[in-house]
Amino acid sequence: MIYFIGAGPGDPELITVKGAKLIKEADIIVYAGSLVNPEVLREAGPDCEIYNSATMDLDETTEVMVNGIKENKKVVRVHTGDPAIYGAIQEQMYRLDKEGIPYKVIPGVSSFCGASAALKRELTVPDKAQTVILTRMEGRTPVPEREKLAKLAAHQSTMVIFLSVGMLDEVVNELSQHYPSTTPVAVVYKATWPEEKKVIGQLDNIAQLTKDAGITKTALIMVGDFLREDRDEESLLYASHFSSEFRQAKDDKKCD
Ligand code: SAH
């Protein structure tokens, strides 16, 4: 069995209990060295073989993992955040399927959750947004035409943009086709790492503020009214007049 595990956004205490246990027990670890905090691996055993996948191609990482399994070793593949978000695990799992090798995926705390926590904001605020779009700007990896930023911007929902801070001017151009120029935007660099930085502005000044802060990579762009200062809306969930399966409303009016 090969385990794909999410390492979390950076803080080594933000890995799951299951993920931490597997790192402790691993004979072979292949980790995404460009983004995974090496501190996450500090509980690995003294005899564990550790490979940094940043310097390897898919053939090489597959070979290490498959050979490990054939030698009856416990193999752990560590990805940053949650492996299902831009983790490139699909192609690895496909190769393992072809070899008939079983695997499991252990989820992790994605960086967008780490960044929301750093900002101390809820992404789904009543009356502001009830939808979160996780996306990226097209880079060397193409993005389907129907998912172009300018098209997604039409929803004016909460948007979290990965892998794109180096193209912030283009991002702002695309978003400006629908979001007003005063829409709040936050750029969060290395959320939950000791060197975390947060830049908060609006669509028409975020590019300059981010340049001034010297942020060019490993950051998320978070867009939308969820960042606004007026924060007096309350959700129905805890409202005193709202009955649910678990709680009877105080004024006894049944809502759903
Ligand atoms: N699987 C990861 C994403 C990998 S793609 C996850 O779930 O978070 C890599 C991109 O994720 C980076 O370019 C950056 O946009 C974002 N990212 C990863 N870790 C981050 C962090 N700690 N703070 C801010 N952005 C981060």
Side-chain angles (χ1 to χ4, degrees):
M1 180 76 76
I2 291 181
Y3 295 89
F4 290 93
I5 69 175
D11 178 346
E13 293 190 344
L14 288 178
I15 190 168
T16 63
V17 174
K18 212 167 222 174
K21 187 165 166 266
L22 286 164
I23 283 183
K24 236 180 188 164
E25 295 166 352
D27 300 306
I28 296 180
I29 293 176
V30 183
Y31 77 109
S34 54
L35 278 171
V36 170
N37 187 346
E39 281 290 298
V40 169
L41 310 179
R42 93 192 134 192
E43 295 292 328
D47 297 327
C48 179
E49 292 169 41
I50 298 183
Y51 297 84
N52 178 355
S53 64
T55 59
M56 300 163 79
D57 63 26
L58 182 60
D59 290 337
E60 291 165 339
T61 56
T62 308
E63 190 182 324
V64 166
M65 297 198 295
V66 170
N67 288 347
I69 287 302
K70 287 184 179 153
E71 289 166 21
N72 243 341
K73 292 182 170 165
K74 189 162 216 163
V75 179
V76 171
R77 177 71 166 105
V78 185
H79 286 272
T80 182
D82 182 83
I85 311 285
Y86 305 114
I89 55 167
Q90 177 74 20
E91 65 230 46
Q92 301 181 59
M93 297 189 292
Y94 180 68
R95 292 222 179 170
L96 297 178
D97 285 338
K98 281 204 297 192
E99 302 256 2
I101 293 173
Y103 50 83
K104 264 197 173 156
V105 182
I106 313 297
V109 177
S110 178
S111 56
F112 82 88
C113 304
S116 319
L119 293 166
K120 301 192 184 129
R121 286 301 166 92
E122 177 176 347
L123 302 177
T124 51
V125 187
D127 296 335
K128 293 215 164 83
Q130 290 293 288
T131 303
V132 183
I133 295 179
L134 305 181
T135 188
R136 63 171 300 169
M137 182 85 183
E138 179 162 284
R140 281 186 295 176
T141 302
V143 169
E145 182 57 37
R146 61 182 183 271
E147 296 175 21
K148 291 280 158 32
L149 268 193
K151 290 198 170 160
L152 299 179
H155 297 283
Q156 293 191 39
S157 64
T158 298
M159 201 186 283
V160 181
I161 308 171
F162 287 72
L163 295 157
S164 306
V165 78
M167 298 175 274
L168 193 47
D169 288 321
E170 290 103 299
V171 169
V172 166
N173 272 341
E174 299 269 316
L175 297 179
S176 300
Q177 296 188 32
H178 292 287
Y179 287 93
S181 60
T182 53
T183 304
V185 182
V187 168
V188 185
Y189 167 76
K190 285 205 148 182
T192 81
W193 290 67
E195 57 270 43
E196 171 186 291
K197 275 191 218 169
K198 292 172 279 186
V199 175
I200 298 177
Q202 53 184 44
L203 204 50
D204 57 9
N205 66 8
I206 194 68
Q208 191 56 47
L209 293 173
T210 304
K211 267 179 214 133
D212 294 346
I215 299 171
T216 56
K217 58 177 192 167
T218 325
L220 290 171
I221 307 160
M222 319 215 13
V223 186
D225 284 341
F226 80 97
L227 285 163
R228 284 207 184 278
E229 285 307 319
D230 58 307
R231 293 195 280 149
D232 51 358
E233 299 100 347
E234 293 180 358
S235 70
L236 283 175
L237 186 59
Y238 296 105
S240 60
H241 66 276
F242 188 72
S243 288
S244 73
E245 187 185 344
F246 303 103
R247 186 167 54 81
Q248 185 62 39
K250 292 221 174 78
D251 59 6
D252 220 9
K253 264 190 238 130
K254 179 95 177 140
C255 307
D256 52 26

